[in-house]
Structures are given as C-alpha cells and as structure tokens.
Amino acid sequence: MNVFLLNKTNRASLFFAMALLPSGLMYSQSKKDTITKEKKIEEVVVIGYGTQRKESVTGSVASVKGDILREVPSANITQALQGRTAGVDISQSSTKPGAAMQIRIRGTRSLSGDNNPLVVLDGIPFAGSLSDISSSDIKSIDILKDASATAIYGSRGANGVILVTSNRGTKGQKPRFSYSTFTGVQTLFSKYPMMDGPKFAKLRADAGIYTNGADESNDINTDWQSLYYKPAMMTNHDISVSGGTEGGNYSAGLSYFKQDALIPLQNYERFSMRLALDQQIGKRFKFGFTTNTNYTKSEGNGVNSGAVVGYSPLVNPYNADGSLRSLMNTAGGNDNTWIFTRERLNNLDEKYVDESKIFASYNNLYGEVTLPLNGLKYRLNVGLDYRTTNSGNYTGVGVFSTNPATASSAGRGNNQTYHWVLENLLTYDRTFGKHKINAVGLYSAEGNKYISTYMSAKNVPADFFQYYNLGQSPQADISVNPNDQIYSQTGLISAMGRVMYTFDNKYMLTATLRADGASVLAPGNKWHTYPALSVGWNITNESFMESIKALNLLKIRAGWGQTSNQAVSPYSTLGSLTVVPYNFGTSNGTGVYVNQAPNADLGWEYSKTQNYGVDFALFRNRLTGTVEYYKTHTFDLLSNKSLPASSGLSFVTKNVAETENKGWEFSLNGIIFDNPEGFSWDAGVNLYTNKNKILALSSGIDRDVNNLWFVGHNINALYDFQYVGLWQAGDPYQSILEPGTPADVIGSIKVLYTGGYNADGTPVRAIGEADRQIFDTAPDFQGGFNMRFAYKNFELSTVGAFQKGGILISSLYGSASYLNRLTGRGNNVDVDYWTEDNTDAYYPRPGRHLSGDNPKYSSTLAMFDASYLKLRTITLGYNFNKDILKDLKITTLRIYFTVTNPLVLFSPYHKFSGMDPEPNSVGDQNQAVSGYRPRQLIIGTNNPSTRNYLMGLNLTF
C-alpha cells in the first residue's frame, strides 16, 4: 500500500494515485493544510455483554455502522454487509425475493452441523434471521470472529457472532421524526445465454438424432425468456420517532417493504413494527424493553426459470387464432411440454397458489440495579420469541401437466417456534488510577420448542377451496405422512465469567471461561467448559513512541480460545424409527424400522482458535487499518461411520472427523481529502484469505466420495475428471484411452489420463474412475472496497467486491441441468461446438459419444474460473442545505439515486456468458440429475440476477 503526500507542485500525481485506489493519500496546500483536526479513536464497539473502547479490544471484532449499511438500499441487511468486512463471506443461495443469504465467518468448520453464525439482537440471542431486521432499525453491527471474542457465547458462538444494536432514543432529546423511502425498478442483468432458432436448428441437424416435432418449424425463432421475464418494482417505506426525557428514552417505528420478481407470480412483502424503551427509576434502578414484530408473505415460491430456458425456440407460442399455445410437441414427438409464459401463469388465477406467511415477534426485556458497592451492577435479561409459518400450495386440474385430466393437488403446512432466554448478569466496572477492570459473571438458561405439521390431498373438489379445506377431498386422497410431523424441545444452561484488565492504557488482558450444558447430547457428554485468553499491547502509549508524531496507534494483540458446536439434532442420541404403512389385502397396518442407530457417546464438535493481530493508525488517524492471522482447528466433528450390512443400518453418526481453517485478513481505511466546504474523499479496502481443509474422516479413510469429502482438501471440493481438450483425428492412443470408433469419439471430450505407460509408450489402460481428480473450489483471496466522494452538498459513493481464483460451478454448461446436452432434444446454451469445419472449438461434437443424455465427461464443462471484480452499488446523493431546511423545521433532507449490480470486470465467466458471476442456487436445486451437494453454491436456473435502479429519500424533522 502506497502513501503519497501531494503539494501544489505535484498535483499531477493525483491522477496516477487515483488509479491505485484505494490508497492512503493526504493532500496538503502550502499554508492551508486540510488536515486541521485530529480524529481521535474513541470509537466504542459492542463485544457481547458490554462495550469497550476500540483501542482496548484484544479479540477480533469488526464493526459496521448503521449509516454505512444504509448506503446500500436493500430488503436484507446482509446484502448491505457484503464486501464490508474481512473474513466474512456473504453469498447468495437464492435470488428469489426475500431469500436469506449464506454467511460464513472465517470459513466452514462442520461437515454435517450448522455453520451459520449466532445473531444477537440488543444483547439477546435472536431466534430469527438478519432478513427479519430492517436496515433503518440498526445503529451498528459488530462481528466477533475469533474464539477469544466469541467464547462468552459458548457453543452458540462456534461459527462467529453477529451483534446487532438497534436505534434507540437519547436522554433529553426532543421528539425526532424520520422517514426513509426508496422505490425503483429491477431489470434483467442478463438472460440465460440460450441458442436462438437458427442456431438450434443447426445444432439439431449437426447432432442428427432428433427431428422437428409436430409444433416445431425451422422458420420460427421464439425468445421464450422475453415472454417470461418482466421488469419488476421494489419499494420500501420506514417511519420512526425517537426521543427522551431526563430519565429515559424511547423509539418506535413502522416499515413496509415489497419486492416483485422478474418471473411471474412471485413476490415478497414485509410489515415490521418496533418499539424500544429505557427508563431510569431513581438512582439505582433501570429497566427497558425492545420488541420487533414482523409479518412477511412470499408468493410463487415454486416458480423458477428451469423449464422455460430449455424450450425449443422453433415453436410458435401462439396458435393460428392468436391464442396462447398451451402445449408443445418437440424433438420428433419425444417431448410433450406444458408451456410456461407470463400471461399463462397470470391467467391461472385460483388454479394455482404457492405461498408462505410468517408472523414473528421478538421481545427483549431487562432490569438493571446499581448495587451499593461502587461499580457493581446486576442485570436480568429476558428474551421471549415466537415465530409461526403457515404455508400452502394448490395446483388445479391439468395445471403444469400435458394431461388435462391430471388430478388437482394441495398441501398445507404449519410450524411454530417458541424460544425463551433468561440471563443473570453481575458486572463490576472500576478504574483505580492506572488500573481499569471490568468483570462479568453470567448464569443463563435457554429453551427452544419447535412444532411442524404438514398434510396433502388430491382431487380437491373446486379451485376456490385451494389449500384451505383439504378435508373436502375424498378421504382416500388425504395424506398425512408421519415423517412430516415434527416435534422437538431443546435446552441450554450456561455459566460464564469474563475479566478485562487494562493497565495504563498500554497493556490489556481478557480472560473468559464459559460452561455449557446442552440437552441434545448424551449423558456424560452434555457439559463442556471453554477457556479463552487474549492480550494486547498499545505500543503507541509507551514513552519511547512520543517522538513519532505520524503514528497515532500501534497495537499488537494475540488470542487463543476454545469453542464448540452442539451440531447434534434433537434426540439423535436415542436413535430414530421410520413409520411405514402396510396393507394386507383389505386391511391396513403400520410398521416401523430403525433408520438411525442410537449413540450414547455423541458429544460436542470442538474448535481451538489462535488469532494474532496488529491495529494501526497514521497521520492523525487519517489512515487506519488492521492485519490479522488466524488458525482454527476443529475436531470431534460428526461424521457417518459405516456399519456392516448385518446391522441392518448403513452407518452410525460418530464424533470422528477434523477440519482446519486458517488465513490472513487485511483492512485499510483512508481519508484522502477532507474539506467540508469543498471536496472530500474517503476510501476503504479489505482483503482476506481462507484455507479450509479436512484433516481426518471416519474410520481412518482419506476420502468419502459420496459426500465429496477428501482429506487434505476443502469441504466444498469437487471430484471429477479434468478437461484437457477434444479428441482430434490422428491423436495418439485414442483407441486405447477412449475406446470407440473414430466416428463416435473424434470431437468428444478428452480428459486427463493419470495411469502408467508400457515400455513401448502405450498407455496401460483406458481412462476410467482412477483418473478422477479432486478440485479445491475455494478462491485464493477475496474482499471488498468502498469509496465516497463529496463536493459541498453532493456525494457519490460506491461499494464493490472482488475474488481471485477458485472454481465457479455453472450447471448450465455441465450435465446436471440438461441445458448443454448437445443432442438437439431441448434448447442448448449457446456454445461453440466441434464440427469437421470447426475443430478448434471448446465444446464437443453434437450427438456423439454420449453417456446417458449428455456428452461423456460433460460435467467437466461446468467448472469456471471464479475470479471477478464488481461494483455492487453506485449512489449519487444530494443533501439539502441546512440553512434552507431550518426555516422549514427540517433537520436533514437527502435524496439519492442508486444503481445496484451495475458493472462486472475481470470475470472469465461473465466475459464468456454475459451472466452475473455470483451463485444464485444451491447444488441440488432445479437440477435434472444429481451431482452437487446442497452445501455447494452454484449458478443454476433459479431467478436470474437483476440490475436495480432506485430513487430514495431520507427526511428527519
């Protein structure tokens, strides 16, 4: 990182410096130095069960202020968090409206357990997700990353902790009203790159397998995607009031968000209400509460793009009379398909519904007493949460089927979550001369109850019944599957002690000890105690540093700690049975069989973490940054151990596996220009690595091919052949390596041969399973950046992200989605394939050397370089002059225009396909054939990515 000092005679260097952004730059003019004020680091961060000055923190904690998050208008604050903090990987697992995002803090640890971080809202573990919290409600988000920081949350914090602090009023503050809104349109980032009519007709002819069906003609060229997608609206409104008296404060607010999808019938709607109160009673007692209540509704969850992108472009969507065609006969009569278009789906009315309605109420209450001993306080926290989901689906007679008499079907599900937390906290906080001590003792209990039911029916007598009264169906057509009826109850009891000690603002120590007892574990394994220790040295405050004026902060810190993950599902230690209905002639019976063996030895998954960091600030805190290295060893991971067939079971779950995560993290923020009356420029960048690998599996094996787990490789590795090209006429040893006639093999995919050779140089065998390779999918590094320019009342900001290396899985081009079969049966992604006149192509010859419905080895075509650099948002805003607003009794008024997902650079996949290089699906979603695991993120046929154009307003008075 370069630091430039520019004066009047060197301003031309500014243009060179700008090209190297983000860099730490300072611009000075001979007599009028723009660095006129020292920005002292007095920032306070939330560390769990308390706060601490940032310069005194010894663990790994990253903070993002709510104002920063609101620079990215979004329904989900995780979208605003993307690229903001080192070591926090936030990825799309779905592009549907309202979909939650996957968050991984410093990598994936568990093979089969939960890898999601703990979310804590206003001090209480949160039963919902970040998507339940409006960005307008957030004061700050603090992320605890290492074990020395997360140990206070014990087993709940094994995967990191996200602390969300909501906005509250201020004592003595007059009532302040705020209104925020944004509205805009979502447009298609890019269509799926399918062939048009002429290209598809040529492909079919080159493949020579299928002829045109009854509804196909080479004179037709239909773009089915344009009949399916349509720009969609997104809108958000948030109104709040806050204030306070001399004895307390309050805040309240309402918000509404709605997002339609580009595909028909799909939308997401959220209503939120929040209320917070803090009140001092006398000198010693204080109480308060926070309540967040949400109602969300999502529709069209079962609709996607999968079928549409594969439609033959040689079919006219309209009949001769101008009406929409309902069915198509293609591929020489081999395929009959129900046609999805926007108009047809919108016209279904009561014949189709797929919706989910969620009501949730999250409530925190506290009471705090200042005890007679100076610095000693007792606090009681109570969390009471309730969440219920009602889902229903109905498909009318003949809908989505080529048989117009196909019976109607419906299903209805309901689940409830009841969650409570009770925490007793004793805090001692005193300063004695140069000594500062903060001690916290905790005893807590937590309970969770989950109930879920689902039933289905066929032959619903009328469309208007939909899923509301399944009892109207014939009794023989009503199904209640025992496996869909769930009840579970879990509990956790914990005790924790933490001491933070600082001497002379130079030397810092944090020691934590926590014990957890989990009901889900077997007797004898329920309890475990977690130690953690971290130290820090603020070198800047040493006397020998006084002469170094340019250095405002230099702190080194180190930490070690242990956490664990209660990854066991409820009742797993007891084993489980599967209920199976039988019929014996005219009589019915019910049987059961063991599907999971009991295991009285199931215990915790443990993680030990080392963390080393350096925090620095230079040039009156104009340039600040952090460098960290961490290593996490996770052991006793749950994995399936094979059992002999005589046991009647294929496996038993044991604590046997090990993984490791290690990496570097860099963060740098700079105030380049700082002139409130003129031009200001801030910039920031973060970069991080994560090297994840499996150290051990069950029974001493080094590979579990079924789960795609391999010792020495990352958890999300792939196992496949390695593409090296296409077979060409005259290639040596083709008849040995890839047996078959040249007419069939030439032009097909050639993969790497790893076997030996005979003395005469010929291969000893044909290519086979032994030639499969293990591919690590993780990137070399990734990160994000942000810049903000301001000139008087105008401001321009941008947020971006980047990734170098790794493997991107695009199932469009592989074998899993049936969109690159190169046989002409259904439409194909637009690829340059081998012909006798085009032998330099990357993709194989159509219709030859097939394996099932796909070219042999075509799964290798799904792997792409995952590198990219993209701008996530660009925002142009204008802040109205305060002198003008004063007469209107308005405190602030800001309008802005935002473009999201505007630009992608340095992405091989985007350059090749035109598509967004970020995943939009999980591995087993919308796939014609299996091959990828649910934990793997891929580009599939989920909703396409969008580019959004939003107008917004922020008003305070």
Side-chain angles (χ1 to χ4, degrees):
M1 186 60 62
N2 297 315
V3 178
F4 298 90
L5 183 65
L6 305 179
N7 54 39
K8 279 186 173 180
T9 60
N10 197 28
R11 289 181 183 175
S13 302
L14 175 62
F15 298 100
F16 173 73
M18 289 174 67
L20 301 179
L21 274 177
S23 299
L25 304 179
M26 282 148 292
Y27 171 59
S28 63
Q29 296 176 323
S30 54
K31 292 184 179 180
K32 184 179 179 181
D33 193 344
T34 61
I35 308 175
T36 58
K37 296 181 180 180
E38 181 178 356
K39 178 187 174 185
K40 295 184 178 180
I41 298 182
E42 295 293 346
E43 185 179 352
V44 174
V45 297
V46 179
I47 56 172
Y49 303 116
T51 60
Q52 193 174 23
R53 287 189 310 129
K54 188 172 182 178
E55 68 171 7
S56 299
V57 173
T58 55
S60 182
V61 183
S63 300
V64 183
K65 298 301 180 186
D67 291 342
I68 300 297
L69 293 173
R70 285 184 282 277
E71 289 181 1
V72 181
S74 63
N76 193 330
I77 59 174
T78 49
Q79 295 172 334
L81 269 175
Q82 281 185 296
R84 287 291 191 177
T85 54
V88 182
D89 180 23
I90 301 176
S91 305
Q92 295 180 134
S93 58
S94 173
T95 43
K96 294 181 180 180
M101 302 186 76
Q102 176 183 283
I103 304 175
R104 295 291 180 264
I105 298 177
R106 291 184 167 179
T108 301
R109 298 165 179 80
S110 180
L111 297 180
S112 58
D114 185 11
N115 283 287
N116 294 313
L118 170 68
V119 177
V120 177
L121 176 62
D122 291 328
I124 296 292
F126 188 50
S129 68
L130 285 174
S131 60
D132 293 323
I133 306 172
S134 171
S135 60
S136 299
D137 299 342
I138 296 175
K139 179 181 179 181
S140 66
I141 288 181
D142 299 272
I143 301 174
L144 313 183
K145 297 187 286 187
D146 73 326
S148 64
T150 66
I152 56 171
Y153 290 102
S155 61
R156 297 292 304 275
N159 300 311
V161 181
I162 299 177
L163 304 173
V164 181
T165 303
S166 63
N167 287 317
R168 309 180 87 84
T170 305
K171 285 186 178 181
Q173 171 192 315
K174 293 182 179 180
R176 181 173 63 190
F177 296 87
S178 298
Y179 172 66
S180 299
T181 183
F182 64 81
T183 300
V185 62
Q186 306 163 89
T187 63
L188 190 65
F189 182 89
S190 69
K191 293 179 181 178
Y192 287 93
M194 307 306 294
M195 289 183 173
D196 61 15
K199 288 183 178 179
F200 180 65
K202 183 178 185 303
L203 168 69
R204 179 170 283 176
D206 289 336
I209 299 176
Y210 298 99
T211 59
N212 287 352
D215 297 322
E216 291 179 294
S217 169
N218 288 353
D219 297 328
I220 303 297
N221 183 13
T222 298
D223 183 354
W224 291 103
Q225 293 186 72
S226 63
L227 295 174
Y228 196 59
Y229 305 129
K230 180 182 178 181
M233 297 299 295
M234 177 195 299
T235 186
N236 182 80
H237 300 278
D238 190 289
I239 186 168
S240 63
V241 58
S242 62
T245 64
E246 290 304 317
N249 57 76
Y250 62 88
S251 65
L254 296 169
S255 66
Y256 171 76
F257 175 82
K258 184 175 182 183
Q259 180 181 5
D260 294 322
L262 271 63
I263 67 177
L265 302 183
Q266 205 175 86
N267 64 74
Y268 173 79
E269 206 169 9
R270 183 184 65 206
F271 301 85
S272 301
M273 180 179 70
R274 58 200 181 276
L275 181 64
L277 174 70
D278 301 288
Q279 182 63 48
Q280 186 79 34
I281 299 178
K283 294 183 178 181
R284 295 189 178 276
F285 183 67
K286 181 181 180 181
F287 77 93
F289 68 86
T290 304
T291 179
N292 287 268
T293 301
N294 296 330
Y295 172 76
T296 63
K297 180 180 179 181
S298 57
E299 296 182 312
N301 297 313
V303 182
N304 59 66
S305 300
V308 175
V309 295
Y311 287 167
S312 168
L314 305 180
V315 175
N316 191 329
Y318 299 99
N319 295 308
D321 62 0
S323 61
L324 277 169
R325 187 187 296 273
S326 59
L327 303 174
M328 68 170 77
N329 179 285
T330 60
N334 284 276
D335 292 327
N336 287 291
T337 308
W338 197 94
I339 300 176
F340 288 79
T341 62
R342 173 172 290 274
E343 187 175 349
R344 283 204 75 199
L345 289 175
N346 287 337
N347 289 338
L348 288 176
D349 198 23
E350 292 183 334
K351 291 182 179 294
Y352 175 76
V353 64
D354 185 359
E355 61 186 16
S356 177
K357 302 172 184 177
I358 302 173
F359 173 82
S361 182
Y362 309 106
N363 305 280
N364 304 341
L365 302 90
Y366 76 89
E368 185 176 277
V369 180
T370 300
L371 299 176
L373 181 61
N374 191 13
L376 189 64
K377 293 181 180 180
Y378 168 77
R379 181 182 175 111
L380 174 66
N381 291 330
V382 179
L384 300 170
D385 304 323
Y386 172 74
R387 180 184 176 99
T388 182
T389 302
N390 291 285
S391 61
N393 61 82
Y394 171 74
T395 304
V397 175
V399 175
F400 307 149
S401 174
T402 56
N403 180 1
T406 299
S408 61
S409 62
R412 182 167 188 170
N414 175 265
N415 64 64
Q416 298 96 34
T417 298
Y418 304 86
H419 175 253
W420 61 268
V421 179
L422 187 67
E423 296 179 333
N424 296 274
L425 285 160
L426 195 62
T427 304
Y428 182 69
D429 192 359
R430 286 290 304 277
T431 299
F432 306 92
K434 294 183 179 181
H435 305 272
K436 180 175 177 59
I437 186 169
N438 178 281
V440 177
L442 165 78
Y443 177 78
S444 70
E446 182 175 350
N448 196 84
K449 182 167 68 173
Y450 178 74
I451 305 168
S452 180
T453 61
Y454 184 82
M455 64 185 299
S456 60
K458 292 183 178 180
N459 291 306
V460 179
D463 289 333
F464 60 80
F465 280 113
Q466 295 192 337
Y467 63 86
Y468 297 110
N469 191 346
L470 302 186
Q472 294 291 337
S473 297
Q475 293 300 302
D477 291 332
I478 299 175
S479 174
V480 181
N481 187 335
N483 295 319
D484 292 333
Q485 322 309 312
I486 302 171
Y487 173 86
S488 67
Q489 191 167 357
T490 61
L492 183 72
I493 297 177
S494 307
M496 183 273 293
R498 180 185 66 194
V499 176
M500 296 185 296
Y501 171 73
T502 302
F503 175 72
D504 200 19
N505 203 28
K506 299 177 185 177
Y507 315 110
M508 293 148 281
L509 170 74
T510 300
T512 306
L513 191 69
R514 175 160 175 150
D516 281 342
S519 66
V520 296
L521 300 176
N525 292 323
K526 291 183 181 293
W527 283 90
H528 188 72
T529 301
Y530 317 92
L533 180 70
S534 59
V535 294
W537 178 23
N538 192 338
I539 303 174
T540 320
N541 291 336
E542 296 287 357
S543 58
F544 58 79
M545 297 292 292
E546 292 179 356
S547 61
I548 307 178
K549 302 298 182 182
L551 185 62
N552 307 111
L553 175 67
L554 179 61
K555 180 181 68 176
I556 59 175
R557 49 188 169 81
W560 173 91
Q562 185 186 92
T563 58
S564 71
N565 187 6
Q566 45 171 318
V568 178
S569 300
Y571 316 116
S572 293
T573 59
L574 306 178
S576 63
L577 303 174
T578 294
V579 179
V580 181
Y582 291 92
N583 61 346
F584 302 92
T586 58
S587 61
N588 297 323
T590 301
V592 296
Y593 67 89
V594 177
N595 70 346
Q596 181 174 317
N599 185 349
D601 297 325
L602 281 183
W604 304 86
E605 295 185 342
Y606 299 107
S607 292
K608 291 181 179 179
T609 298
Q610 305 170 45
N611 191 85
Y612 308 94
V614 178
D615 304 320
F616 59 88
L618 298 165
F619 312 114
R620 300 182 183 178
N621 299 307
R622 297 287 293 272
L623 182 66
T624 61
T626 297
V627 180
E628 291 190 272
Y629 172 78
Y630 66 90
K631 181 178 180 180
T632 301
H633 175 212
T634 305
F635 55 99
D636 283 355
L637 287 171
L638 296 174
S639 184
N640 294 331
K641 184 177 181 179
S642 298
L643 293 176
S646 59
S647 69
L649 294 168
S650 57
F651 64 86
V652 62
T653 302
K654 292 274 191 179
N655 294 94
V656 290
E658 297 181 48
T659 61
E660 179 185 83
N661 285 274
K662 60 182 178 181
W664 289 89
E665 297 173 358
F666 305 88
S667 298
L668 190 65
N669 293 283
I671 302 173
I672 304 167
F673 295 99
D674 186 16
N675 182 1
E677 303 301 323
F679 179 65
S680 299
W681 183 3
D682 303 337
V685 64
N686 69 80
L687 181 149
Y688 59 96
T689 66
N690 177 262
K691 302 300 180 185
N692 165 266
K693 66 179 178 180
I694 298 172
L695 300 180
L697 291 168
S698 65
S699 304
I701 62 174
D702 62 1
R703 57 179 56 198
D704 180 344
V705 175
N706 184 56
N707 287 305
L708 298 182
W709 291 329
F710 307 93
V711 172
H713 298 271
N714 63 55
I715 290 175
N716 290 324
L718 296 175
Y719 186 58
D720 208 341
F721 297 95
Q722 182 174 332
Y723 176 98
V724 295
L726 302 178
W727 286 105
Q728 306 289 349
D731 280 355
Y733 315 131
Q734 174 262 306
S735 60
I736 301 174
L737 293 173
E738 195 63 47
T741 65
D744 183 51
V745 175
I746 300 305
S748 69
I749 297 172
K750 179 194 294 186
V751 297
L752 182 67
Y753 170 68
T754 61
Y757 293 86
N758 297 310
D760 61 357
T762 59
V764 298
R765 59 170 174 82
I767 293 172
E769 287 296 309
D771 296 302
R772 286 184 180 268
Q773 307 290 307
I774 302 170
F775 297 89
D776 286 323
T777 59
D780 300 326
F781 62 83
Q782 57 194 123
F785 59 92
N786 57 274
M787 287 184 282
R788 178 183 175 274
F789 306 90
Y791 179 72
K792 295 185 177 180
N793 294 340
F794 289 93
E795 59 184 22
L796 177 67
S797 62
T798 184
V799 178
F802 55 85
Q803 177 172 304
K804 173 63 172 66
I807 295 176
L808 171 67
I809 304 170
S810 176
S811 67
L812 278 65
Y813 292 91
S815 57
S817 66
Y818 276 9
L819 294 177
N820 196 19
R821 290 180 285 187
L822 289 168
T823 61
R825 181 166 181 173
N827 200 4
N828 210 91
V829 284
D830 190 1
V831 295
D832 181 29
Y833 55 81
W834 191 98
T835 65
E836 293 181 353
D837 298 325
N838 186 32
T839 59
D840 292 332
Y842 184 85
Y843 289 87
R845 184 179 184 180
R848 302 292 191 276
H849 209 51
L850 301 178
S851 176
D853 291 321
N854 289 287
K856 191 176 182 180
Y857 310 123
S858 61
S859 58
T860 63
L861 302 174
M863 291 185 278
F864 290 82
D865 184 343
S867 301
Y868 70 84
L869 183 150
K870 69 184 301 185
L871 296 183
R872 295 199 185 279
T873 61
I874 300 176
T875 299
L876 176 64
Y878 179 79
N879 298 282
F880 284 82
N881 192 296
K882 291 186 177 181
D883 293 334
I884 299 174
L885 300 177
K886 186 176 181 181
D887 296 334
L888 300 174
K889 297 184 179 181
I890 296 175
T891 306
T892 60
L893 176 59
R894 176 178 180 265
I895 58 173
Y896 62 89
F897 176 73
T898 296
V899 183
T900 67
N901 216 13
L903 184 64
V904 176
L905 299 170
F906 311 120
S907 167
Y909 183 73
H910 173 70
K911 183 178 180 180
F912 174 75
S913 68
M915 297 183 68
D916 191 331
E918 290 193 87
N920 67 354
S921 306
V922 292
D924 62 345
Q925 190 175 39
N926 303 330
Q927 299 300 300
V929 293
S930 61
Y932 304 115
R933 299 298 175 264
R935 67 178 183 271
Q936 292 168 316
L937 300 182
I938 68 170
I939 292 179
T941 54
N942 209 326
N943 292 28
S945 294
T946 63
R947 178 178 287 123
N948 307 331
Y949 301 89
L950 306 172
M951 286 287 293
L953 177 145
N954 304 122
L955 172 66
T956 303
F957 58 92

